[in-house]
Each structure stands twice: as C-alpha cells, then as structure tokens.
Amino acid sequence: MAEVRVKAHKESVLAERFGVFAESLLTGVWIAVASLGVVTFPAAFAAGARHLRRRTGHEGGGRREFARDFRAAVRGGWVAGLAGWVAAGLVWVDVQAARAGLPGGPFVATVGLFALIGLVVAGLRAAAVWEPGAAWRTLLAEAGRRTVLDPAGSFLLVGGVVLVVCSALLIAPLAVPVLGAVAAAAVAVEERYRRR
C-alpha cells in the first residue's frame, strides 16, 4: 500500500497578519460588549488580550473561551475597574479645582492627569498578561514597574488610547473595534518587553 503524504497547509505571512488584524477588530467588539458593566473593562480587556495571545500562538479559542476568561477575570477585575473610575473621578475634581482658579490647582491637575495616564497604561499592561488565577493586585504592581522601565512600550499604549478617543470623537462606532487593536498592541508590547 502506498503511503499518502498530506502536505500541511501553511498561511502566508501576509494572510496570517491580516487574520490577526481581523481577529483583533472582532475582539474589540467582544471587549466593548463585555465592558457594558462599566467596572468590567479590565476583565474584558484581559479576556480579549488572552484571546489574541491564543490566536497568535496558533492555539484554539473563540467566543466561548473569551466568555470563560471574562468570567474568571471579572472575579477580581471589577475591583480594578472600580478603582480606575475612582481615580478618574479624583482627576476630574483636580481639573475642576484648576478651572476654578484655586491656588496650585493647575499643578495638581497636571500631576493628576499624568498619574491617570500612568494608571491606564499600567492597567492595560496588567490586563495584557493576565492568566486565570492571577491576582490583580500583583499584576498591577508588576505592570507599574514595566510602565516605568519600558517607556517606549508605554508611549505606544498611550498612542493607542489616544487613537480610541479620537475614533470615538470622529465616528463613535469606530472606537469599538479599535479597542481590539489596542489589546493587540498591549499584547505586542508585553511580548517585546518579555523578550528583551
């Protein structure tokens, strides 16, 4: 009996990269839907980033795995989401104090805005490396260190957040899939840092 050889089908590099881009746009929709609970954004972003890590690692994964990861991440992630909203509220108060002309207000508002940007970047970096069972407090502490030690990656994520905001201001629905592109950028930034 003759042996039949099956040739493994391999995607071209262009097709593979386009597939990751398309998957990241779909993941952005999943993240947006899972973030409707407002404080669930860190968990949704973590599940989206984990999905994209599976996709780039050529592992299985889809909507069900995303939902399973989201449920696991939201257990501690809602506290991180709530803390993020509290921080944003405090910065809003600082900005209002600066606008009211209080002495030292502009300085405090500027420091608050930069601190909020740092917290957002650290949150994105923490969510990008989240695994089931990981403690959010530990993830955020380590991500804070990486945010400072890897300024190039941090600025890339700041650019991604600016892109989401600009997309929302220009064409609001466009911000939804762009969230997935930011998740892909966060995964890439963390992978780049890990390989240094």
Side-chain angles (χ1 to χ4, degrees):
M1 200 183 325
E3 184 180 313
V4 178
R5 291 188 180 188
V6 178
K7 195 174 191 179
H9 176 69
K10 186 173 178 175
E11 288 182 307
S12 70
V13 173
L14 181 63
E16 182 179 347
R17 289 183 180 164
F18 185 75
V20 170
F21 175 69
E23 194 70 29
S24 71
L25 297 180
L26 175 62
T27 302
V29 174
W30 293 349
I31 291 171
V33 170
S35 297
L36 291 176
V38 182
V39 296
T40 58
F41 179 75
F45 196 85
R50 187 156 192 260
H51 169 73
L52 291 173
R53 286 197 317 265
R54 277 194 300 265
R55 172 66 169 95
T56 57
H58 302 287
E59 300 171 18
R63 187 178 61 240
R64 288 187 183 132
E65 286 81 3
F66 174 87
R68 190 177 317 123
D69 286 340
F70 174 71
R71 283 190 301 273
V74 83
R75 287 186 194 111
W78 71 270
V79 175
L82 182 62
W85 281 108
V86 168
L90 291 173
V91 170
W92 182 81
V93 169
D94 288 345
V95 170
Q96 295 308 313
R99 293 179 80 196
L102 292 176
F107 175 75
V108 171
T110 302
V111 169
L113 284 173
F114 279 111
L116 183 63
I117 290 168
L119 286 173
V120 168
V121 170
L124 294 176
R125 293 184 85 135
V129 297
W130 175 85
E131 292 288 335
W136 280 94
R137 182 181 296 237
T138 305
L139 288 173
L140 288 167
E142 293 170 356
R145 284 190 284 281
R146 289 192 307 273
T147 298
V148 173
L149 295 175
D150 181 23
S154 297
F155 284 124
L156 177 66
L157 292 178
V158 169
V161 171
V162 169
L163 182 64
V164 170
V165 170
C166 289
S167 299
L169 291 174
L170 293 174
I171 305 171
L174 186 59
V176 171
V178 172
L179 284 172
V182 174
V187 168
V189 163
E190 287 301 314
E191 183 62 24
R192 178 185 146 276
Y193 183 80
R194 189 181 66 79
R195 290 184 181 187
R196 285 187 348 173

